């Protein structure tokens, strides 16, 4: 899950597009803390870029000093959330390809058939993919289709036609923004409407005309003064040239209108509206419906036993308050959140997640001591965080702890851009509610039903019979899933996990805090054991899989195909090679 932005000013002499995109990055920072970047275009089609690992304040400096090096009247921005791929700086977006026409590209989502597309790019389009990011695959597919025009200059009809061809090749869920050097902006969305994208406008404050902005969430437009906000529809693309009104085209017919329901449960800000559905109001309804389920699941004695309802901040605050209201129980904030520690379910290693929970949350003893508490969280993924929270509540003096989840049991992998966990790591994948309660140390665990979750959002939709992507809860995904995709996903996830744990071990040694296991990891490398845990490898056995390129191929059924090869030790970091990027260099650069 990522955040994407695009902006074009009516006045082509403007140079402040980056400044506005930089401000918008902070409004969408919750959508990605792993990396971010901005690419702009100035007069003459010159492209400027800054991107790298870290949050916006790190990449652009706390005072935004690097923004002044990004002149231009239009630009795009990206915030990356960790996924199953690598987390090297080279994977930070926007991506850039110089042929044809100079394309900058920002993607939110995931391609289900990425491996097939990589083979096509390698063997037929002759385009090299240098990272593990689906975004790089997608921009090269688009570039290859756009190159088919054979023209020195393209128009909107050429671009729409190239997008239509790209849609016939790509399978998955995505929302993308792109910038064509000297031409304008492009925004488009998958034919299922899985990933969100909105467009807004405002009168130019530097002469006649209209400024236009696209974003993953409406809050970014609201805060920047853009109004008349509309959703880009499933299968729809929009092109905006300097000083011109947007041109819309249905590049592929909508297959379904099924936004990812996890946006409403967890990812989106409460003050945003996605596909006409208020996130805040949807979470209120989740709370009321969850309360009704709690009434059914607990007997009258257990229900009377509850003294107070306490949310796990912050996403569940709204729902927990509605649970308390419906159950006629006191509501209070029992945990204080450290806002400078980030989401924990994607951290590599169980011990790291457990430590992070205690850094992230601190219980107020006065709110727990001697009480029977009902804790409400937005979801339960691995159960590591939930178990630590229950332990913290008991340590603070709680007599009994009940635990409720605003989301149903998460039993399957997320395949559209959120690396929740491997199915085997999901606590609900192989446990019923009773064993989950035992595992996390709660008296009982109560989950929202899937029907109630869908109803909580659908009741607010302007469309009748609203559907949602809910595959993580039931295994039924809205898009076709390529054979072998889940095996591929596990392979990529395992490789990424090993890289992250190895990097953590190296950092522990550098900081002087390494234990024996971390020293063995740094010395011998790492491997994944039978339980799916990353451990120190037996000396000489560590390896990571890479992909063959150019001549390193094999023949299968008479065709050249890529094959995996063993590569001894991956580099600790890779810089972006597509465009001079001062984000690749130290903070003292350009001072």
């Amino acid at each position: 899950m990522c955040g994407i932005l695009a902006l074009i000013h009516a006045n082509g002499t403007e140079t402040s597009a980056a400044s506005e995109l930089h401000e918008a990055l902070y409004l969408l920072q919750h959508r990605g803390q792993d990396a971010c970047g901005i690419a702009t275009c100035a007069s003459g089609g010159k492209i400027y870029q800054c991107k790298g690992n870290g949050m916006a304040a790190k990449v652009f400096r706390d005072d935004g000093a690097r923004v002044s090096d990004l002149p231009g009247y239009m630009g795009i921005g990206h915030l990356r959330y960790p996924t199953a791929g690598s987390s090297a700086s080279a994977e930070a977006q926007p991506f850039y390809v110089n042929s044809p026409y100079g394309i900058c590209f920002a993607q939110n989502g995931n391609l289900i058939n990425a491996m097939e597309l990589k083979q096509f790019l390698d063997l037929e389009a002759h385009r090299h993919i240098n990272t593990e990011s689906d975004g790089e695959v997608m921009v090269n597919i688009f570039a290859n289709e756009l190159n088919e025009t054979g023209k020195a200059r393209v128009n909107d009809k050429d671009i729409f036609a190239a997008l239509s061809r790209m849609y016939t090749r790509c399978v998955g869920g995505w929302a993308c923004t792109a910038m064509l050097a000297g031409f304008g902006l492009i925004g488009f969305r998958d034919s299922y409407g899985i990933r969100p994208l909105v467009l807004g406008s405002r009168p130019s404050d530097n002469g006649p005309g209209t400024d236009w902005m696209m974003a993953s969430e409406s809050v970014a437009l609201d805060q920047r003064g853009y109004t008349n906000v509309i959703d880009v529809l499933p299968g729809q693309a929009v092109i905006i040239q300097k000083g011109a009104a947007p041109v819309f085209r249905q590049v592929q017919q909508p297959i379904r209108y099924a936004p990812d329901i996890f946006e409403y449960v967890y990812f989106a800000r409460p003050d945003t509206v996605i596909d006409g559905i208020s996130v805040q109001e949807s979470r209120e309804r989740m709370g009321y419906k969850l309360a009704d389920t709690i009434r059914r699941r607990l007997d009258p004695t257990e229900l009377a036993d509850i003294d107070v309802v306490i949310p796990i901040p912050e996403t569940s605050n709204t729902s927990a308050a509605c649970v308390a209201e419906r159950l006629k129980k006191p509501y209070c904030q029992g945990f204080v959140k450290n806002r400078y520690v980030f989401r924990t379910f994607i951290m590599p290693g169980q011990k790291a997640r457990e430590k992070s929970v205690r850094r992230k949350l601190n219980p107020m003893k006065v709110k727990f001591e001697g009480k029977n508490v009902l804790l409400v969280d937005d979801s339960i993924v691995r159960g590591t965080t939930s178990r630590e929270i229950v332990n913290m509540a008991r340590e603070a003096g709680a007599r009994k702890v009940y635990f409720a989840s605003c989301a149903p049991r998460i039993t399957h992998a997320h395949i559209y851009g959120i690396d929740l966990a491997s199915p085997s790591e999901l606590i609900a994948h192989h446990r019923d509610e009773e064993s989950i309660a035992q595992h996390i140390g709660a008296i009982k665990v109560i989950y929202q039903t899937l029907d109630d979750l869908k109803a909580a959002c659908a009741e607010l939709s302007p469309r009748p019979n609203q559907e949602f992507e809910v595959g993580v809860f039931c295994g039924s995904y809205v898009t076709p899933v390529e054979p072998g995709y889940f095996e591929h996903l596990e392979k990529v996830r395992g490789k990424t996990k090993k890289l992250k744990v190895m990097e953590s071990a190296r950092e522990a040694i550098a900081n002087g805090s390494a234990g024996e296991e971390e020293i063995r990891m740094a010395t011998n490398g790492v491997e994944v054991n039978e339980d799916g845990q990353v451990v120190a490898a037996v000396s000489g056995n560590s390896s990571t899989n890479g992909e063959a390129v150019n001549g390193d191929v094999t023949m299968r059924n008479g065709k050249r195909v890529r094959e995996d090869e063993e590569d001894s030790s991956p580099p600790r970091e890779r810089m972006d090679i597509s465009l001079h990027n001062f984000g690749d260099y130290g903070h003292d650069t350009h001072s």
Side-chain angles (χ1 to χ4, degrees):
M1 189 75 68
C2 300
I4 58 173
L5 295 158
L7 168 73
I8 185 166
H9 286 144
N11 188 334
T13 63
E14 279 269 9
T15 59
S16 60
S19 177
E20 193 163 356
L21 287 167
H22 177 241
E23 291 292 329
L25 287 178
Y26 291 99
L27 296 168
L28 297 184
Q29 188 74 81
H30 59 285
R31 296 189 68 86
Q33 298 99 35
D34 203 42
C36 64
I38 292 173
T40 61
C41 183
S43 59
K46 186 74 172 179
I47 293 174
Y48 300 85
Q49 171 184 274
C50 175
K51 63 179 184 176
N53 278 359
M55 297 175 68
K58 176 184 176 183
V59 174
F60 296 95
R61 298 186 182 174
D62 291 334
D63 59 357
R66 292 183 171 186
V67 174
S68 62
D69 292 307
L70 300 170
Y73 63 92
M74 67 174 175
I76 63 174
H78 187 270
L79 295 143
R80 185 180 71 195
Y81 199 86
T83 64
S86 167
S87 57
S89 291
E91 310 234 340
Q93 299 187 42
F95 284 113
Y96 169 78
V97 291
N98 68 335
S99 176
Y101 316 118
I103 304 169
C104 291
F105 195 90
Q107 182 213 41
N108 172 27
N110 202 42
L111 294 174
I112 307 303
N113 62 335
M115 292 304 296
E116 173 190 327
L117 294 173
K118 284 183 180 180
Q119 286 197 11
F120 164 77
L121 289 169
D122 179 32
L123 304 179
E124 298 184 43
H126 306 144
R127 285 178 170 268
H128 178 66
I129 300 301
N130 202 54
T131 73
E132 300 298 324
S133 173
D134 287 358
E136 189 189 10
V137 173
M138 201 166 191
V139 67
N140 276 278
I141 293 290
F142 174 53
N144 183 68
E145 297 300 339
L146 195 58
N147 197 48
E148 293 299 313
T149 63
K151 293 182 176 180
R153 297 289 183 269
V154 289
N155 56 35
D156 56 1
K157 294 182 178 62
D158 298 321
I159 296 170
F160 286 134
L163 285 171
S164 292
R165 294 192 296 271
M166 183 195 76
Y167 271 57
T168 64
R169 293 189 183 276
C170 296
V171 180
W174 62 78
C176 303
T177 55
M179 178 173 67
L180 210 61
F183 179 86
L185 298 178
I186 310 164
F188 50 93
R189 192 177 180 193
D190 68 79
S191 298
Y192 301 85
I194 298 171
R195 299 267 69 87
L197 185 63
V198 292
L199 170 69
S201 64
R202 72 176 183 202
S204 172
D205 57 6
N206 191 14
T210 301
D211 299 335
W212 298 90
M213 187 174 185
M214 288 182 277
S216 297
E217 295 185 29
S218 62
V219 64
L221 307 187
D222 296 340
Q223 289 291 303
R224 301 305 306 164
Y226 289 81
T227 58
N228 304 314
V229 177
I230 60 171
D231 293 289
V232 176
L233 300 175
Q236 189 179 65
V238 56
I239 294 174
I240 312 172
Q241 297 185 61
K242 180 180 62 179
V247 179
F248 294 88
R249 183 71 54 82
Q250 201 69 40
V251 293
Q252 188 177 68
Q253 287 303 308
I255 300 174
R256 295 168 72 174
Y257 203 142
D260 187 348
I261 208 163
F262 232 82
E263 290 279 358
Y264 304 98
V265 171
Y266 182 68
F267 267 96
R269 276 179 49 152
D271 50 349
T272 214
V273 176
I274 296 177
D275 292 308
I277 301 171
S278 163
V279 174
Q280 171 72 11
E281 292 185 11
S282 71
R283 289 176 183 168
E284 290 173 356
R285 296 195 179 212
M286 289 176 207
Y288 292 131
K289 292 180 184 297
L290 178 58
D292 293 339
T293 299
I294 292 170
R295 282 187 184 279
R296 293 192 298 269
R297 290 291 315 283
L298 298 184
D299 62 44
T301 303
E302 290 173 319
L303 198 58
D305 205 28
I306 295 172
D307 297 312
V308 64
V309 177
I310 296 177
I312 311 304
E314 295 177 321
T315 317
S316 64
N317 289 359
T318 299
S319 298
C322 294
V323 168
E325 178 187 336
R326 181 64 60 91
L327 296 180
K328 295 181 172 58
K329 297 289 183 180
Y331 167 86
C332 77
Q333 295 280 345
F335 291 97
V336 176
K337 181 179 179 181
N338 181 344
R339 299 175 187 273
Y340 304 99
V341 178
F342 308 117
R343 288 165 171 167
T344 58
F345 66 74
I346 46 77
M347 287 187 170
Q350 181 169 314
K351 289 184 178 179
R353 287 188 290 273
E354 289 172 353
K355 290 178 181 178
S356 182
V357 173
R358 290 190 177 261
R359 288 198 302 268
K360 178 180 176 182
L361 297 174
N362 185 51
M364 292 183 281
K365 192 172 182 180
V366 67
K367 302 296 184 181
F368 290 90
E369 197 163 25
K371 296 176 181 176
N372 300 323
V373 300
L374 171 62
L375 301 181
V376 178
D377 206 351
D378 51 69
S379 58
I380 305 173
V381 183
R382 292 179 176 90
T384 306
T385 299
S386 304
R387 183 171 59 195
E388 200 65 19
I389 287 170
V390 171
N391 287 338
M392 291 163 63
R394 291 191 181 280
E395 290 167 9
R399 290 193 293 120
K400 295 181 182 178
V401 179
Y402 298 86
F403 204 101
S405 169
C406 296
R409 297 166 66 241
I410 298 173
T411 54
H412 293 75
H414 195 289
I415 63 174
Y416 302 113
I418 310 174
D419 186 30
L420 290 177
S422 302
S424 61
E425 296 175 311
L426 297 169
I427 190 171
H429 181 70
H430 54 283
R431 290 183 176 94
D432 59 21
E433 291 185 14
E434 184 177 348
S435 60
I436 291 170
Q438 292 175 351
H439 183 77
I440 69 172
I443 300 296
K444 274 191 177 179
V445 170
I446 303 98
Y447 282 95
Q448 183 91 265
T449 69
L450 182 54
D451 285 344
D452 280 349
L453 176 61
K454 291 191 289 187
C457 301
E459 289 166 1
L460 298 165
S461 175
R463 295 166 295 279
N465 305 314
Q466 177 68 61
E467 295 182 280
F468 296 96
E469 159 48 36
V470 293
V472 292
F473 305 118
C474 59
S476 177
Y477 302 98
V478 298
T479 67
V481 180
E482 293 288 309
Y485 176 74
F486 290 105
E487 290 79 3
H488 163 69
L489 189 64
E490 287 305 295
K491 181 179 177 181
V492 172
R493 182 180 284 117
K495 178 180 176 182
T496 303
K497 184 191 294 185
K498 290 199 295 183
L499 290 173
K500 289 183 177 180
V501 172
M502 189 71 173
E503 183 64 23
S504 178
R506 288 168 173 163
E507 289 179 0
I509 289 175
N511 296 333
S513 60
E516 290 183 8
E517 180 73 1
E518 290 163 316
I519 293 172
R520 283 196 295 269
M521 287 179 176
T523 303
N524 300 334
V526 296
E527 60 188 10
V528 180
N529 66 16
E530 294 179 355
D531 297 325
Q533 300 298 315
V534 178
V535 297
V538 178
S539 182
N541 286 354
S542 177
S543 65
T544 45
N545 294 320
E547 285 186 342
V549 295
N550 297 335
D552 299 327
V553 296
T554 188
M555 302 295 293
R556 189 175 300 148
N557 297 327
K559 295 182 179 180
R560 284 160 51 93
V561 297
R562 289 179 180 269
E563 66 177 2
D564 290 335
E565 61 179 8
E566 295 297 314
D567 186 14
S568 59
S569 180
R572 293 182 62 177
E573 187 54 278
R574 301 199 317 277
M575 291 184 180
D576 179 59
I577 63 170
S578 65
L579 187 68
H580 171 67
N581 176 40
F582 53 80
D584 283 335
Y585 306 103
H587 281 272
D588 293 334
T589 308
H590 292 74
S591 52

